[in-house]
Amino acid sequence: MNQRRHQKMLNNLFSSALLFSLALLSAAALALPEDSALPINIQSDRASQKALKNGEKTEYFGNVLMTQGSLKISGDHIIVRSKDRKVISIVALGKPAHFEQQSDPGKAPIKADANKLHYRLKQDTVILSENASIEQNGTTVSGKRIEYNIASEQVKAIGGKDNSDRVKMVLIPEGNSETESSTSPENKD
């Protein structure tokens, strides 16, 4: 009888642990759209802050990394403008500066690079300029300037006058991967 009670107690403990684990996984899956409610973490070699009439301007210099949940922004120099302790915009400069965010747990993260990234939080828009590119699931867009709306996942790209700045796209069909297309019979010698 003692062994039976011990087994029942272990089963209850296992069931409770499983339910707790599922609750944690569900909370983690729901946390991605809630990145904005999480604290912003910033690492850099040095920083300075100025009080302005319409808010604050904080600048970070040297191998800057900013994270907030699934959001990652990195660059050589990042400027954060805020008002009443709320971030209004983030500008990242680098060769290149990098933006990454996973907006949906079922999708791959959006990855973007440019010499200048301007993240306008109120508009939920990232503006990429100078050597701009954005990628998700192997599909890429590059050009002189790219505007990416995070909420609608809409991309607008603008090219330059010469061939090196033209808008370029690589579209991967749904259900395919780059490795599948490169190993198909049509692509073999």
Side-chain angles (χ1 to χ4, degrees):
M1 181 141 155
N2 197 12
Q3 186 177 14
R4 186 183 253 172
R5 184 179 290 168
H6 180 67
Q7 185 64 38
K8 188 175 181 180
M9 199 166 69
L10 283 176
N11 285 343
N12 286 340
L13 183 63
F14 177 74
S15 296
S16 297
L18 180 62
L19 287 173
F20 181 71
S21 298
L22 289 173
L24 282 177
L25 287 174
S26 297
L30 295 173
L32 285 169
E34 303 302 322
D35 280 350
S36 62
L38 297 172
I40 296 173
N41 298 293
I42 304 171
Q43 298 175 26
S44 67
D45 294 339
R46 61 186 175 92
S48 67
Q49 184 175 31
K50 294 179 187 174
L52 306 171
K53 289 181 183 179
N54 59 348
E56 299 84 33
K57 175 182 169 182
T58 308
E59 295 188 68
Y60 301 90
F61 303 91
N63 196 26
V64 187
L65 175 61
M66 172 184 281
T67 61
Q68 184 182 32
S70 71
L71 172 68
K72 295 179 185 119
I73 299 175
S74 62
D76 299 324
H77 180 196
I78 292 182
I79 303 160
V80 178
R81 294 191 183 271
S82 57
K83 185 173 184 178
D84 300 325
R85 297 189 47 85
K86 291 184 181 178
V87 176
I88 298 167
S89 72
I90 300 166
V91 174
L93 306 169
K95 297 279 183 183
H98 180 74
F99 172 93
E100 182 176 322
Q101 186 170 36
Q102 186 165 8
S103 59
D104 184 331
K107 294 182 180 178
I110 297 290
K111 296 178 181 180
D113 292 303
N115 292 354
K116 181 179 180 183
L117 300 166
H118 186 179
Y119 182 12
R120 299 184 306 177
L121 280 79
K122 191 172 185 178
Q123 293 83 5
D124 216 9
T125 302
V126 179
I127 299 169
L128 312 162
S129 51
E130 301 175 39
N131 299 315
S133 68
I134 190 165
E135 181 269 330
Q136 184 179 33
N137 287 329
T139 297
T140 61
V141 178
S142 62
K144 187 173 184 175
R145 178 183 162 101
I146 298 172
E147 290 185 27
Y148 172 64
N149 184 291
I150 296 168
S152 68
E153 296 184 343
Q154 183 178 19
V155 175
K156 294 180 187 175
I158 299 169
K161 295 179 181 172
D162 61 23
N163 282 341
S164 65
D165 281 340
R166 295 189 71 202
V167 174
K168 297 175 184 99
M169 287 182 127
V170 176
L171 302 171
I172 304 297
E174 197 170 318
N176 282 350
S177 71
E178 292 179 66
T179 56
E180 288 173 340
S181 62
S182 65
T183 59
S184 67
E186 298 84 31
N187 293 335
K188 290 188 178 183
D189 293 324

